[in-house]
Amino acid sequence: MSQTYTAPQPSLLKLAGVPYFLIAFIARLPFAMMVVGVLTVVVAARGSISLGGLTSAAVGLGTACFGPFLGAAADRFGQRVVLLVLAVSNGAMLVVFTVTVYGSAADALVLLTAVGIGATAPQVAPMSRSRLVTIIADRMPEAQRARTLSGTMAYESAADETVFVFGPFLVGVLASAIAPSAPLIGAAALTVLFVGAFALHPSGRDISLQRDTSGRAPSAVAELFRPQLLVVVLGILGVGLFFGAMLTSLTSFMADRGAPEQAGLLYGVMGIGSAVLALGVAWLPPSFSLRARWLVFSGILLAGSLLLGAVSSPGMMMLALGIMGIGIGPTLVTQYSFGAARSPLGRSTTVMTMLGSGVIVGQSIGAALTGELAESVGTGPALMLPVVAATIVFAPGLANWFLSRTRPRSVRVPV
């Protein structure tokens, strides 16, 4: 009796290739180093924490203003040409900023060049998500898409968590071992080399099959402003606010105890746990819907942040950070999954860049506000800002519960 041969189903790892994931991981490091690197070099060169915070916020401003347009350009013309231009431009801006800070230029010019860093930042993470979503939607059997998408968003978020923990650590090592300017020079070199490699990877040629031969999307720009998508952008902005506020208030907390350099180690307790749990999201049952995950995990984040009001020792801080780590990683995975599912046809990169911009903008604003509050009022009030940020993550999740009444049209996932 003859047996019917069933061809093995293609995996995303095989379709994209192992080198892709290695290049994409290293290429996102400079983005994670920029905000902290800018803060470090400004404080070292100009002696002003306040100016350092404003400069970090200026990087976020540049990203907020230009990031979504760069994503739209990548959707329209393909990522390769956009990323090659950005790799060179951003590498140059990092060097120009370093020279400007150490020169005699006015503070206003320092802020302007910081905006230029943010405006030219190659947002590899959202563009990587967009590439992988395109591969899943265009080249994988429909039966595999939902689970593969969930696993992909989990991996990407875990990679982001790892980079956002390791990036500030790498900045500290380079600044201490070499010079305060070393992190930005190193970020410039990584940008040119690895963002360039990411751009030249064969997947950089892909434009979604949802676009026509001239690159036009079948969906209108107005669809980017639907409430179902904007609520995700607001929620992920809250995550960025939390990252910036938590790291800055934690630094102030440890500085009060004479060990500010240990803030990064404590922060790693949250980051590592968050990354591990983000990967675990891929194994959650489909019956645990996305809208329920957002509420549950952001609720854990909010509950953990409320403990900050009672923290009086590094041990208690580690406990609070551990609880918050349980919530933040899976929440971020869920938000990106919603972003992928709700992307208008042919505008995946635009949406992913909007979400990526939300994280970095929130981080910049959170760091600037918390630093100013810690310096002028004290650590106690500064530790309340992560609570505010966690609330901003939770509230859109509550609104999303009622907005998630219809199923997405493209890559289907349980909502």
Side-chain angles (χ1 to χ4, degrees):
M1 183 175 64
S2 62
Q3 294 182 340
T4 303
Y5 173 75
T6 302
Q9 299 298 323
S11 67
L12 185 61
L13 185 64
K14 183 176 181 180
L15 291 174
V18 174
Y20 170 84
F21 290 95
L22 295 175
I23 293 169
F25 182 83
I26 299 174
R28 70 185 77 196
L29 256 179
F31 194 68
M33 296 168 64
M34 286 176 190
V35 173
V36 179
V38 162
L39 175 64
T40 301
V41 76
V42 169
V43 172
R46 301 275 171 138
S48 172
I49 296 178
S50 178
L51 178 61
L54 286 174
T55 309
S56 295
V59 175
L61 176 65
T63 302
C65 292
F66 292 90
F69 293 105
L70 296 175
D75 269 331
R76 176 69 174 80
F77 303 107
Q79 291 187 17
R80 174 165 292 178
V81 63
V82 174
L83 281 169
L84 286 174
V85 171
L86 290 177
V88 176
S89 301
N90 191 246
M93 284 305 308
L94 288 165
V95 174
V96 169
F97 176 82
T98 304
V99 173
T100 303
V101 169
Y102 279 99
S104 57
D107 291 347
L109 187 57
V110 173
L111 292 172
L112 183 61
T113 53
V115 171
I117 291 176
T120 59
Q123 297 187 49
V124 173
M127 290 196 180
S128 175
R129 284 180 171 90
S130 176
R131 287 192 196 186
L132 297 177
V133 167
T134 296
I135 291 173
I136 292 169
D138 294 348
R139 299 169 61 186
M140 295 194 76
E142 186 172 356
Q144 287 183 258
R145 291 177 191 171
R147 188 166 186 84
T148 304
L149 176 68
S150 178
T152 300
M153 293 300 112
Y155 162 76
E156 287 286 323
S157 295
D160 283 347
E161 291 279 354
T162 304
V163 164
F164 272 99
V165 170
F166 185 65
F169 173 76
L170 185 59
V171 168
V173 170
L174 292 175
S176 301
I178 304 176
S181 60
L184 292 186
I185 300 301
L190 286 173
T191 297
V192 173
L193 292 175
F194 283 93
V195 174
F198 181 71
L200 294 173
H201 187 272
S203 62
R205 295 194 302 263
D206 293 341
I207 299 178
S208 175
L209 296 178
Q210 296 164 348
R211 294 237 163 191
D212 62 22
T213 55
S214 64
R216 288 188 299 243
S219 58
V221 174
E223 291 198 34
L224 293 170
F225 300 96
R226 291 182 297 118
Q228 289 87 346
L229 187 54
L230 291 180
V231 74
V232 181
V233 175
L234 179 59
I236 212 163
L237 175 68
V239 171
L241 287 168
F242 176 81
F243 283 145
M246 190 65 248
L247 179 57
T248 307
S249 60
L250 177 61
T251 302
S252 179
F253 177 83
M254 294 307 296
D256 290 346
R257 286 151 182 79
E261 70 281 357
Q262 294 182 15
L265 296 176
L266 289 182
Y267 191 70
V269 171
M270 183 184 74
I272 294 172
S274 177
V276 171
L277 285 160
L279 284 172
V281 169
W283 284 272
L284 291 176
S287 58
F288 188 8
S289 66
L290 288 181
R291 63 176 183 165
R293 293 178 195 179
W294 189 342
L295 276 183
V296 169
F297 289 113
S298 64
I300 294 172
L301 172 66
L302 180 57
S305 69
L306 291 173
L307 295 177
L308 294 173
V311 165
S312 59
S313 68
M316 292 180 65
M317 178 62 79
M318 288 179 66
L319 174 62
L321 289 168
I323 294 173
M324 289 184 285
I326 294 173
I328 191 68
T331 299
L332 193 60
V333 173
T334 301
Q335 290 169 335
Y336 271 114
S337 295
F338 267 119
R342 293 174 176 173
S343 296
L345 295 177
R347 298 189 185 276
S348 173
T349 305
T350 305
V351 170
M352 290 301 165
T353 309
M354 287 169 62
L355 299 182
S357 296
V359 174
I360 196 66
V361 169
Q363 184 189 34
S364 300
I365 295 174
L369 291 178
T370 308
E372 188 66 30
L373 191 62
E375 188 171 320
S376 59
V377 183
T379 300
L383 283 170
M384 291 299 98
L385 287 186
V387 181
V388 175
T391 303
I392 295 174
V393 179
F394 180 79
L398 189 60
N400 180 73
W401 177 270
F402 298 99
L403 290 171
S404 300
R405 297 298 188 186
T406 57
R407 296 181 67 83
R409 295 169 304 173
S410 52
V411 182
R412 292 184 176 270
V413 291
V415 298

